[in-house]
Amino acid sequence: MDVTGTTGSDKSLTRLSLSLAPALAVLPVVSVTLLAAAVLLRREVPVQVLATAALAVLIAYAALRILLARHRLLSGMSVASVASVVANDPAPCFVTATDGEVLHGNPAAVDRFGPCGPGGLTPLFEGLMANPAGVFRRMASRAQVSGTAHEDIVTPRGPSRLSAHRTEGDLLLWRFVEIVTPGGVPPGTDFALLTVGRSNSILFMNQAARQLVGDRPKALAALFDTLPLRPGEIHEMVTAEGRRPVRVVEIGDRGGRRELMLLPEQSPAPAVEAPRDAPQLLETLPVPLLLLGKDGLIDSANAPAKDLLGPECHPGTPLSALLEGLGRSVADWLAEAASGREPVHSEFLRLGVPDREVFVQVTLKTAMLDGAPRLLAVLSDATELKTLEAQFVQSQKMQAIGQLAGGVAHDFNNLLTAISGHCDLLLLRHDPGDPDYSELIQINQNANRAASLVGQLLAFSRKQTLRPEELDLRDTLSDLTHLLNRLVGEKTTLSVSHDPLLRPIRADKRQLEQVIMNLVVNARDAMPEGGEIRVETETLRLSEALRRDRAEVPAGEYVSVKVIDTGKGISADKLPKVFEPFFTTKRVGEGTGLGLSTAYGIVKQTGGYIFVDSEVDKGSCFTLLFPVLELPRPAAPAPAPAPSDRAKGHFAQGVVLLVEDEAPVRAFASQALRMRGYTVLEAESAEAALQTLEDAELKVDIFVTDVIMPGMDGPSWVRKALETRPDTGVVFVSGYAEEAFAEGQAGIPNSVFLPKPFSLTELTDTVRRQMH
């Protein structure tokens, strides 16, 4: 709030005069003292020096008096300006100096608090709040710094808001607003107010509370037997006239200090007498309503309630026969409500429909009809709300499982790399005719099966490493048909049909084959007596976005793959759960529940969509949608890959720095590379690798490093090493998915990723390709 005619320099001088005002009282004394000293010390100190000092002090005194007078003039102008603005404000307003002195109160303040005499605001608010001096001091400090401050407080007349604003002339404008909410406490009504600390200690009691209790207790335990106090509920309180029920209302909570209001509670009010034509009145309302007896039987139901609950909703039917409790039985809930303990909260109940899940929110109210107690039930369809809640819980569960799968997969992949790697080394030293050769093959095959299981864990959590490439599904399914025919058996026929103009897609061939195999195997299991499985592909063009099953497919061109069977189908209540991990419709021991969840994870990670349509006893259809790959202009043919080291018949050459914290993996990898002719330098940590590279004369051709290690990780140490060795190739290996460190690998030139578990040949071939 600006005061006209006050310049920036005026404000600075005014603040300076205020800061030096305490010196005005002592400056005359200082000047007289200096003059006396000039007389007494005329021999030791020149008289001219002391006289000059005394004159300077007197001049400073006169200047400060002038500045103080100017400040008072400006303050008077500021007070008058602010007073004119708040003159018609219905809320009490005060203007105070920085020391708290009340300079002005508007008419509303005079009406509410009486004439505002000299002194601060503290005496005016003594009976309205606990520790008013502390409140005003705290708010004044904040207002001086930030320009404004406000706090919500509780008074005997109800909740209020106190605000402070800094104005020109270093004044503070205070505004006091009493808040009256609908159903709240009207001004002028005294109720017991308490301020309670963190340990249930009573910090403040207003006059009404002290009169009610007849004492000044120090803790809530002296007033209430049941703690903690629950806002909105009735508690029995010890008063001066004995025990009586009070309703606890919490008005505010600031920094652990709770403001409580205690409202005397009368005897329970009688139930509302419903009109005699209540059943006819219910029919006219558009809200689903039921009138229930004390025994829980339906007396009447309006048309919206019958539409919601179904044809079984008619008079005489128990409500528990239509709705099921989510943990608590409906009969117990109704019995408690009929006994007079009306529920505070609504209940979410499940409608007993066999083919779908419907949730109903029910709110009860006691009513009297023809002198007999009745229960009025207000219903609302809560299916969408519970569905959203279930989706949230499911997403949390999938996230937790994904994190668990990622951690477990990392450790398993390290173990499997060591097992399969050393098995490869043993196989190199044994011929097929050796007695131990078949056992080694078994070890190798089972290690691969374990790696496949770990891959499934990562698949449904969408954390497996994909190797996407351009695919023509006609070729992919053609290569897979022979294996699929063996999987379905003799009772089931398999047919594959293609769109002649099928467009290519981009996907991981191995993972996509696993998806198709999982869907075909599920279709086979759904037809134990045999049947027909059809795999159909076609190109689709969506002119507008497709919305179904809580997913939205953008408009564009897609390749569709359908796996159709004529089996027993899936019921509607189980259909939304088929892609959940570990959910299966098969009997115990016949399925793990990972097949469809794995397919779902692979498809989503590929950027596609998967949907299911099913009808009991008629079969199911799983539909996969993959975006069409927009082919770039034809490029020059890539050179044919060089033959492997084994095929070339000679050893490779070069120096490899192998950095791996897992000793078994490091031992296998170093031995495999040495067998191929490489010189291998080993390091168990990034720090040890950097120490090795400090030798400037040491030549290293390629880094083979783990990604996640104690201390510095793989991408970090490689970046540092490439500063002095920029032409060195890099092979990152990890048991985590490549996406887990894609950002860390970004910007590292000439680097590739090799996922664990890897075989001896995969490791050596990858190193050879990076070497050349």
Coordinates of all heavy atoms in Angstrom, one line a residue, residues 7 12 105 123 230 235 276 291 311 351 377 439-440 450 589 644 744:
T7 N 9.2 9.1 -1.4 CA 10.2 8.7 -2.4 C 11.0 7.6 -1.8 O 11.0 7.3 -0.6 CB 11.1 9.8 -2.9 OG1 11.8 10.2 -1.7 CG2 10.3 11.0 -3.4
S12 N 14.4 5.3 2.8 CA 15.7 4.9 3.4 C 16.0 5.8 4.6 O 16.5 5.3 5.7 CB 16.8 5.0 2.3 OG 16.4 4.2 1.2
G105 N -7.6 1.9 14.6 CA -8.6 0.8 14.5 C -9.8 1.2 13.7 O -10.3 2.3 14.0
P123 N -3.4 -7.2 24.6 CA -4.5 -7.1 25.6 C -5.9 -7.4 24.9 O -6.8 -7.9 25.6 CB -4.4 -5.7 26.1 CG -3.0 -5.4 25.9 CD -2.6 -6.0 24.6
R230 N -11.1 -39.2 18.2 CA -11.3 -39.3 16.8 C -12.3 -38.2 16.4 O -13.4 -38.2 16.9 CB -11.9 -40.7 16.4 CG -10.9 -41.8 16.6 CD -11.6 -43.2 16.4 NE -12.6 -43.5 17.3 CZ -12.4 -44.0 18.5 NH1 -11.2 -44.3 18.9 NH2 -13.4 -44.3 19.3
H235 N -17.3 -38.9 22.3 CA -16.5 -39.4 23.4 C -17.1 -39.0 24.7 O -17.7 -37.9 24.8 CB -15.1 -39.0 23.3 CG -14.3 -39.5 22.1 ND1 -13.5 -40.6 22.2 CD2 -14.3 -39.1 20.8 CE1 -13.0 -40.8 21.0 NE2 -13.5 -39.9 20.1
R276 N -46.1 -41.7 5.1 CA -46.8 -42.9 4.9 C -46.8 -43.4 3.5 O -46.9 -44.6 3.2 CB -48.3 -42.8 5.4 CG -48.4 -42.5 6.9 CD -49.9 -42.4 7.3 NE -50.0 -42.2 8.7 CZ -49.9 -43.2 9.6 NH1 -49.7 -44.4 9.3 NH2 -50.0 -42.9 10.9
L291 N -36.1 -49.7 0.7 CA -36.6 -49.6 2.1 C -36.5 -51.0 2.7 O -37.1 -51.9 2.1 CB -38.0 -49.1 2.1 CG -38.5 -48.5 3.3 CD1 -37.7 -47.3 3.7 CD2 -40.0 -48.0 3.2
P311 N -33.4 -58.6 -11.7 CA -34.8 -59.0 -11.5 C -35.1 -59.7 -10.2 O -36.3 -59.8 -9.8 CB -35.0 -60.1 -12.7 CG -33.6 -60.5 -13.0 CD -32.7 -59.4 -12.7
L351 N -22.2 -57.2 -6.3 CA -23.4 -57.8 -6.8 C -23.2 -59.2 -7.2 O -22.2 -59.5 -8.0 CB -24.0 -56.9 -7.9 CG -25.3 -57.3 -8.5 CD1 -26.4 -57.1 -7.4 CD2 -25.7 -56.4 -9.6
A377 N -31.9 -47.4 2.2 CA -30.6 -47.7 1.6 C -30.5 -46.9 0.3 O -31.4 -47.0 -0.6 CB -30.4 -49.1 1.3
E439 N 26.5 -86.4 -20.4 CA 26.2 -85.7 -19.1 C 26.5 -84.2 -19.3 O 25.7 -83.4 -18.8 CB 27.1 -86.2 -18.0 CG 26.6 -87.5 -17.4 CD 26.9 -88.8 -18.2 OE1 27.6 -88.6 -19.2 OE2 26.5 -89.9 -17.9
L440 N 27.6 -83.9 -20.0 CA 27.8 -82.5 -20.2 C 26.7 -81.8 -21.1 O 26.4 -80.7 -20.9 CB 29.2 -82.3 -20.9 CG 30.4 -82.7 -20.1 CD1 31.7 -82.6 -20.9 CD2 30.5 -81.7 -18.8
A450 N 17.0 -73.1 -17.8 CA 16.9 -72.2 -16.7 C 17.0 -70.8 -17.2 O 16.3 -69.9 -16.7 CB 18.1 -72.5 -15.7
G589 N -0.9 -78.0 -11.3 CA 0.1 -78.9 -11.9 C 0.0 -78.9 -13.4 O 0.9 -79.5 -14.0
S644 N 33.6 -67.4 -38.1 CA 34.0 -67.4 -36.8 C 35.4 -67.9 -36.7 O 36.0 -68.4 -37.6 CB 33.1 -68.3 -35.9 OG 33.3 -69.7 -36.4
G744 N 23.1 -44.7 -19.9 CA 24.5 -44.7 -19.5 C 25.4 -45.1 -20.7 O 26.5 -44.6 -20.8

